[in-house]
Structures are given as C-alpha cells and as structure tokens.
Amino acid sequence: MMTTQPEHDRLSPEEYARRLSAGDEILYIAEASAFVRKSIGTLRYYRHLGIGPRSFRHGRNVAYWRTDLILWLAEEASQPDGRSDGAHALARPQVGRSRRPERLNPGAR
C-alpha cells in the first residue's frame, strides 16, 4: 500500500528551482529548530498537527525554506494573544498527563 504525501510536502520542481535561484536556503529540521528556537520534537509535533511552518520532504529528510520559517515566525509574532483558531491548544500538554499511572495490580510488589 502506498501512502500519499501531505499537502505541505508537495513542492513543484518549478517552485523548487525558483526559490533556489532567488537565493533561498534549504534548512533541515535540526537547522530549522535552531533558527526558530524550538526543539526538534516540537517542530515534528507541529508538523504532525499541521500548525508549524511549511515543510517538505527533501529525499528522506524533512526540510524547510528559510523564508517560510521567517514568515511563520512573523505570523506567530503578529498574534500576541495566541492563535485565534485554537491550534496551539492542541500542542500544549494536558493537565494530569505527567502523573505516574496507577499500578495494574496494587497488591503486588
């Protein structure tokens, strides 16, 4: 069974060539993480939720265009009270999730 790429992974060859010729730079996830000052795990989670910066597959790697990261940061900065669509609420850890689970058999030691 073949899976299809998410919409944000589709990048036409023309778009790719145009961006490279315009001087844009491809950053892999570790570089993008350092650039936006978010952890790699956070960027992966945002990508999963569809709320992070636009990304695409470059071979087997997840990649970002530097200008897309800048635009995403500018969009985030323009919303000081948080996102109006509530998307970041999904990215926050839920209360009570960090507690240790109860033992399955409390009598056993």
Side-chain angles (χ1 to χ4, degrees):
M1 179 165 82
M2 186 174 195
T3 60
T4 59
Q5 291 181 324
E7 187 63 37
H8 58 273
D9 276 354
R10 297 190 181 145
L11 191 66
S12 71
E14 295 81 18
E15 173 74 4
Y16 185 86
R18 183 188 67 75
R19 284 181 175 239
L20 281 178
S21 66
D24 203 353
E25 183 180 2
I26 294 173
L27 301 177
Y28 293 116
I29 196 162
E31 298 164 315
S33 168
F35 185 77
V36 299
R37 297 183 179 197
K38 299 271 186 198
S39 71
I40 293 173
T42 297
L43 282 183
R44 285 184 178 140
Y45 190 56
Y46 283 2
R47 178 177 158 82
H48 169 73
L49 293 176
I51 62 173
R54 182 179 173 198
S55 60
F56 61 98
R57 299 292 297 189
H58 190 248
R60 296 175 71 180
N61 301 304
V62 174
Y64 301 84
W65 289 105
R66 182 181 292 274
T67 54
D68 286 339
L69 294 173
I70 293 168
L71 291 171
W72 181 73
L73 287 170
E75 179 186 328
E76 292 293 299
S78 70
Q79 300 176 14
D81 296 329
R83 296 179 63 95
S84 60
D85 61 4
H88 275 77
L90 298 173
R92 292 190 191 114
Q94 296 185 6
V95 176
R97 290 283 177 134
S98 62
R99 293 188 318 188
R100 290 178 40 188
E102 299 297 323
R103 290 185 151 200
L104 295 176
N105 188 355
R109 290 257 172 199

